[in-house]
Amino acid sequence: MAIVVAQEVLARRYEARLFSLASLFHFACYVALIIIPFVISYTSQSLWIMEKTGREQPEVHFHHEVLVVAQGAHPSQRFAFSSSAGVNALFGDALRAVSVRLSEADENDDGRPEFLHLEVSIPLRPGEDIVGLTVLAALDYSLQDNVRFGTNATAIVQYAGGVAGSGLQFWGDLELHAARALPPFTSSAVGPPTLAGALAATTADALAPAALISRYMAFPTAVHVAPRYPVWLVGGGGSRFTANVTLAVRPAVVRYQPRVAEMLKWGWVQYLSFFIPLWFALRQIKWFAAVSQITPCRVVVDRPHVRKINDHDF
Amino acid sequence: MGRGAALLGCALAAALVAPARAQWPWQTGRYFDDAGDSDDDVDFAGLPQGSGFRTEGLTSCDCDLTANACDAFCCCDAACSSFERTTLFDCATAEAVSARPGVRTCADAAAVVSANLPDTSRAAWEADSEDPLARVLCVVADNSASYGDFITPIEPLSTSELDAAVTRNQTFAVALRAGGADGTGRAYYAAGQALNRGTGGGDGASAAEYAPLALPTAQGAGVGAASAACVDFGAIRFLAELQPTPCVTYAPAGGSMADMCVSGGTFDASMYAGLEVGSSGRRPGANGYDRVTVTVRSVTSVTLGGVSRVELPTSPVPVPSIDNSTGACLDALTGAILRFVYSDEGELRSVDAYLTVTDLPAGVTAVERTFGQHWEASDSKDARPRSGRPGYLRGRPLLSGTEENKDQGTVRPSTSGLVGLVTRRADGACAVHAALPVPPAGGLEAHTIHFGEDAMLSCQLPYDLQTLKAKCEAGEQFTLSNLTDGYIGRFGDSYGSNAADWVELAKGSAGDPSWDDDELTCSGLVVGADFEFFHAAFGAAVDLQRQIVGARLSFRTASWRYASAPRQIFTVTASFVDVPTGAAAQFVPPAPGLFAPIPDDAFFPFAVGPTARTSTGGSTGARRRAR
């Protein structure tokens, strides 16, 4: 009795001349194997990923530039203040000695504040009341995890109580609005100008909140305040108007363009997903064409080159 | 079954939205006479009866809400006639829809669109059924092993059982009793409990004399307040600290302040004189009931706007009155700061009042007032507030101090921190060299620097042309004359006796201004001061603390060309700069040895360890314990 101690495969080869129908078909299959997966994966809209989505906590800090404009009870009565001495000179009699406090709450000490607090205190003379308030505070906004992105931002808080108030409690969220996916590397130059740049005006009219907001909104990528629950504290007659603004900086869902390596990695997987089954299919087609002599070719069978051994040699 | 379900839904909805027990005009009696009711006897449907479960005749009908009358669209109402149920209400022709055990559950015939019964079955059904499809989905026989779970009704509860049930379920009665300032009879005040007004009844006084203490107050500090209006008479709650908070009192609609300018009103400062407060939560008349008398410590007369202040005698406390010639309200209460001292057993020990009164001219419709309540433990002698322990907490006052002993390097901590850097009047003008009252009152507003809070504090320089010229030529700058503190606390609990707990405030120079007569301009005038505080993290990474590692003050100058009105803003800024620290170092305590260490003095005469060498006596055991 004998047992198999080793084995080798003897192939049946189908050969054809270089310039023959079989050879042409053979090379055509190879070309198709390369091209067809690309065409399929490209036309199925999934070869190159143009943008991805990620969630990350942005890093936001105050830029220490503030503009405060309050509307008095009389339409012509206005109170204004800014952090720029040059701008204050434009306000004339509307200028008020406003006090501003800024603080950033970073409870988990990761360097990225979760809340920004802003307090504005406007002194009022007897008979003066405030019915509406606009506060513009410059921010530095940056993303670092999924994409390196930094931009100037302005937190615009605007509320009109309609009646004389003693204060405003304002809660809102900071949200990044990008018209297009953010490129992998973005300089701050593409964002809106700093508040100081926006305040580089020569007339007080150019400092009207509507004008500043209009200029800010012109930028497709900007950070906006989504007001949540503003509370207007009704009651005039006090010596000051105090606004407390709390802006939550929540993890942002960021749309961004992936880097080249990331794009190639994803595209390779897509290509390969069509390449492998097509390779197997073409291999079977070529085999069938050769076996059935659809593409005429010569059959060569491997022969074992072994010495004849008799059974009694064992 | 869509149509049938919709009908049932409509019936239930109609029952739910119907007004409960409306009294119709024709119902004249106070009570119903239900002696003749027959179909609404209480039927504990589905309950175990005797030794076994009842499976026959167990019905429930949720839509039968009127006794002795047919409820519209109620297919199971026994008071409804067959015509009403099948024709008017379009109910199923078979038995009422029910899920009770032993009851046939049938589908609404109208809801069965088609049935694919074999012809033989269909013929058999059609032969003896009024509606061939009505009984298609009926439960003819229930062979379920279980009839379900049942709850036996309990007997009416006793009084004690009612009390026990109330403890498990909040009721309005319980909530109102807990939240009301009714004095729970406890020998102490619980935190948040309203104080009792003291009564002269003493022992034996009836509980009906009990009343909560109600005084003019503000509605709470800032965030969350629905209005800035003062509360004319509000409850004072135990341990509820209220920082001096401004609020506004308005004249009543259609009236004037004069209407409120009466004895016993909200403007009456004399209400505090001799006012008695219950010392604990005991009700008047209860054993141990006691009271404390409010002591008026000061009465300050402040003019409207806070320009001038005059101290008045504390007795008698002025009573508001109307000036018949001008119509003004004289000596109206515009501020009350109360200081409560309590024991650690929750009892009041003393109450001090610091009052402010103001003459309100006729025609004033709104006046700003300031109220505050401070709570202090009786054993808190020499207590001082911290701003963190050990590191600073964000939002807490930045500690400052002045040099006490230069040789020893000790610092005398300021009681209020860096405060009064910008003191301004109500109109926003800088209060130059104004003595700052603590707490700020009378229209003067001061600001405190808080840790981690960048601030821009400003006021308008009140210089006219002559004053500006004189000060400019004299080289007199407006450079924070109130700032006497030269040291900043490194930690939130910096001790004055420890020089290492303080960092010196590096002050810049202001320079001398110069005056130009032709241009009416003062050059080199200080228009602002900038504080920069540098802080860094330290301590365990899981609980980082913050310390101040540097502080400096610099002055900003500008050329001020005088205009017709003073528009120059003096601004003090405070910025906190985070200084990055190195990577956290991991500390691994040494592993304990397998054997106990040999005491240092085990071989005392021959080898002396450091502890033994410095020891002056005592047993070995004592030294070991000391280690």
Side-chain angles (χ1 to χ4, degrees):
Chain A
M1 188 182 68
I3 60 172
V4 177
V5 296
Q7 62 183 4
E8 66 176 331
V9 178
L10 299 179
R12 185 186 302 140
R13 305 177 192 280
Y14 299 88
E15 296 180 348
R17 292 195 306 274
L18 182 61
F19 300 100
S20 63
L21 178 63
S23 297
L24 181 64
F25 180 70
H26 174 73
F27 288 118
C29 285
Y30 273 112
V31 173
L33 181 62
I34 294 173
I35 293 177
I36 291 178
F38 180 85
V39 172
I40 295 176
S41 56
Y42 178 80
T43 54
S44 61
Q45 305 291 328
S46 60
L47 179 60
W48 307 120
I49 49 169
M50 302 301 180
E51 66 179 51
K52 287 188 69 179
T53 303
R55 179 185 290 270
E56 73 170 274
Q57 176 74 22
E59 182 173 352
V60 187
H61 297 285
F62 281 113
H63 199 67
H64 296 84
E65 294 171 355
V66 178
L67 172 68
V68 179
V69 179
Q71 177 62 51
H74 191 274
S76 64
Q77 194 177 38
R78 199 175 63 155
F79 314 104
F81 174 80
S82 85
S83 55
S84 167
V87 172
N88 286 339
L90 297 175
F91 289 137
D93 292 337
L95 181 64
R96 284 290 186 278
V98 173
S99 293
V100 178
R101 291 177 181 270
L102 314 171
S103 63
E104 302 168 353
D106 181 14
E107 302 298 340
N108 56 2
D109 284 313
D110 64 347
R112 302 178 182 184
E114 291 85 28
F115 291 95
L116 303 180
H117 300 284
L118 186 151
E119 180 188 306
V120 175
S121 176
I122 306 174
L124 297 174
R125 297 165 184 156
E128 291 180 341
D129 284 320
I130 287 178
V131 298
L133 178 73
T134 303
V135 178
L136 283 77
L139 305 172
D140 292 325
Y141 187 101
S142 63
L143 302 169
Q144 297 173 358
D145 295 344
N146 296 294
V147 58
R148 293 197 175 277
F149 171 77
T151 183
N152 305 312
T154 301
I156 302 174
V157 175
Q158 202 278 336
Y159 192 82
V163 296
S166 63
L168 170 67
Q169 309 288 341
F170 186 96
W171 290 268
D173 290 343
L174 277 181
E175 295 178 349
L176 174 67
H177 289 250
R180 291 176 295 183
L182 300 175
F185 299 97
T186 307
S187 67
S188 59
V190 301
T194 62
L195 182 59
L199 294 178
T202 55
T203 64
D205 291 340
L207 298 173
L212 294 173
I213 293 172
S214 174
R215 292 177 60 183
Y216 187 76
M217 292 298 290
F219 286 87
T221 300
V223 177
H224 299 292
V225 173
R228 298 303 183 202
Y229 306 105
V231 178
W232 184 260
L233 303 184
V234 176
S239 61
R240 66 186 67 87
F241 179 94
T242 304
N244 283 289
V245 177
T246 299
L247 301 177
V249 186
R250 308 194 188 282
V253 177
V254 184
R255 293 187 302 123
Y256 65 96
Q257 299 173 9
R259 296 177 176 84
V260 174
E262 194 174 359
M263 210 180 299
L264 289 176
K265 184 189 74 174
W266 177 259
W268 168 248
V269 173
Q270 298 297 309
Y271 182 85
L272 209 61
S273 66
F274 293 105
F275 180 89
I276 292 175
L278 187 64
W279 170 77
F280 181 78
L282 289 178
R283 183 166 170 267
Q284 295 301 108
I285 291 172
K286 282 199 308 176
W287 173 82
F288 179 76
V291 169
S292 59
Q293 291 295 308
I294 297 175
T295 54
C297 52
R298 184 180 61 190
V299 180
V300 179
V301 179
D302 290 347
R303 293 174 179 276
H305 300 284
V306 294
R307 181 171 58 89
K308 183 169 178 59
I309 300 173
N310 297 323
D311 290 343
H312 62 268
D313 290 341
F314 291 100
Chain B
M1 296 180 64
R3 191 177 168 192
L7 282 174
L8 182 60
C10 289
L12 290 177
L16 289 174
V17 300
R21 291 295 173 93
Q23 185 76 18
W24 298 103
W26 51 86
Q27 292 176 344
T28 56
R30 176 71 177 84
Y31 301 100
F32 289 111
D33 182 8
D34 58 357
D37 283 2
S38 59
D39 64 329
D40 285 285
D41 292 339
V42 176
D43 178 15
F44 297 111
L47 294 175
Q49 300 292 321
S51 57
F53 293 148
R54 283 173 53 191
T55 58
E56 298 296 334
L58 302 180
T59 60
S60 67
C61 186
D62 294 338
C63 56
D64 183 8
L65 300 178
T66 307
N68 303 325
C70 173
D71 289 82
F73 301 106
C74 188
C75 298
C76 54
D77 191 344
C80 300
S81 67
S82 175
F83 180 78
E84 286 175 314
R85 283 188 284 177
T86 58
T87 305
L88 299 185
F89 305 160
D90 199 18
C91 298
T93 54
E95 289 83 350
V97 175
S98 173
R100 310 300 301 184
V103 176
R104 283 183 171 179
T105 302
C106 294
D108 186 352
V112 179
V113 177
S114 64
N116 55 352
L117 295 173
D119 293 340
T120 52
S121 300
R122 178 181 293 272
W125 282 102
E126 290 177 353
D128 60 354
S129 176
E130 181 182 350
D131 186 339
L133 297 180
R135 298 165 64 89
V136 169
L137 298 179
C138 282
V139 178
V140 177
D142 187 353
N143 59 351
S144 171
S146 171
Y147 289 117
D149 300 324
F150 302 91
I151 297 175
T152 304
I154 60 176
E155 296 298 320
L157 300 181
S158 64
T159 303
S160 59
E161 289 170 331
L162 291 176
D163 292 338
V166 165
T167 60
R168 295 191 300 270
N169 301 280
Q170 178 79 321
T171 65
F172 276 121
V174 172
L176 293 173
R177 276 199 296 269
D182 60 351
T184 56
R186 292 179 294 204
Y188 55 88
Y189 281 120
Q193 183 181 346
L195 301 186
N196 308 330
R197 176 183 287 272
T199 65
D203 291 347
S206 69
E209 295 180 15
Y210 165 79
L213 178 67
L215 295 173
T217 184
Q219 286 199 356
V223 176
S227 169
C230 302
V231 179
D232 287 346
F233 290 98
I236 307 299
R237 298 190 177 275
F238 188 67
L239 296 186
E241 184 91 1
L242 178 66
Q243 294 291 327
T245 303
C247 58
V248 180
T249 293
Y250 300 95
S256 67
M257 288 292 183
D259 301 334
M260 308 166 69
C261 191
V262 294
S263 175
T266 187
F267 283 132
D268 186 6
S270 67
M271 75 175 78
Y272 294 92
L275 177 65
E276 292 185 329
V277 185
S279 61
S280 69
R282 292 189 177 94
R283 287 178 172 276
N287 289 333
Y289 173 77
D290 200 359
R291 52 196 184 274
V292 296
T293 305
V294 175
T295 304
V296 178
R297 294 292 181 185
S298 71
V299 180
T300 306
S301 177
V302 180
T303 56
L304 197 62
V307 178
S308 65
R309 306 164 60 85
V310 177
E311 293 296 327
L312 302 179
T314 56
S315 180
V317 177
V319 178
S321 59
I322 301 291
D323 186 337
N324 292 328
S325 59
T326 62
C329 177
L330 306 178
D331 295 327
L333 177 71
T334 53
I337 307 297
L338 300 179
R339 176 172 173 263
F340 297 90
V341 178
Y342 65 96
S343 70
D344 56 1
E345 295 175 340
E347 289 188 2
L348 274 186
R349 292 293 172 81
S350 66
V351 183
D352 296 333
Y354 302 82
L355 307 177
T356 304
V357 295
T358 304
D359 294 342
L360 304 179
V364 171
T365 56
V367 59
E368 186 171 279
R369 309 162 79 191
T370 301
F371 296 102
Q373 290 117 36
H374 174 63
W375 294 86
E376 193 173 299
S378 58
D379 58 353
S380 60
K381 188 180 180 183
D382 300 330
R384 62 178 181 84
R386 290 190 177 101
S387 291
R389 185 178 182 186
Y392 275 105
L393 297 176
R394 188 178 62 85
R396 299 290 297 176
L398 192 68
L399 302 183
S400 65
T402 185
E403 189 175 60
E404 185 179 47
N405 188 313
K406 191 170 186 177
D407 297 333
Q408 298 178 357
T410 57
V411 173
R412 180 183 295 275
S414 167
T415 57
S416 54
L418 278 179
V419 67
L421 302 180
V422 169
T423 306
R424 66 185 183 193
R425 294 199 293 265
D427 60 357
C430 300
V432 183
H433 303 305
L436 178 68
V438 178
L444 287 177
E445 182 184 6
H447 299 277
T448 307
I449 302 298
H450 297 149
F451 182 82
E453 194 174 82
D454 294 353
M456 175 177 279
L457 315 173
S458 59
C459 60
Q460 286 180 294
L461 291 174
Y463 297 153
D464 56 15
L465 179 59
Q466 287 72 26
T467 307
L468 176 64
K469 179 180 178 182
K471 288 185 176 295
C472 195
E473 290 180 339
E476 186 178 339
Q477 297 276 32
F478 187 72
T479 54
L480 305 181
S481 57
N482 286 330
L483 179 63
T484 57
D485 295 341
Y487 290 86
I488 304 299
R490 281 182 63 189
F491 308 103
D493 65 344
S494 296
Y495 283 80
S497 57
N498 188 0
D501 283 359
W502 302 85
V503 295
E504 188 170 2
L505 177 64
K507 296 181 181 177
S509 60
D512 295 326
S514 60
W515 177 256
D516 186 336
D517 259 331
D518 297 332
E519 298 290 334
L520 298 180
T521 300
C522 183
S523 302
L525 180 72
V526 171
V527 295
D530 300 313
F531 286 92
E532 291 169 305
F533 303 104
F534 301 86
H535 62 92
F538 71 99
V542 295
D543 184 24
L544 283 179
Q545 306 289 308
R546 291 281 167 184
Q547 64 163 331
I548 294 290
V549 294
R552 66 186 183 191
L553 168 65
S554 57
F555 295 98
R556 267 178 287 114
T557 61
S559 295
W560 182 12
R561 179 184 173 88
Y562 182 76
S564 58
R567 295 173 182 169
Q568 193 65 26
I569 295 284
F570 183 82
T571 305
V572 172
T573 67
S575 302
F576 286 83
V577 181
D578 189 2
V579 178
T581 54
Q586 189 177 33
F587 171 73
V588 179
L594 188 59
F595 302 103
I598 299 175
D600 294 336
D601 56 353
F603 309 102
F604 175 64
F606 309 104
V608 182
T611 306
R613 185 183 296 120
T614 56
S615 175
T616 55
S619 67
T620 302
R623 285 194 291 274
R624 185 180 296 124
R625 284 194 298 273
R627 263 201 315 275

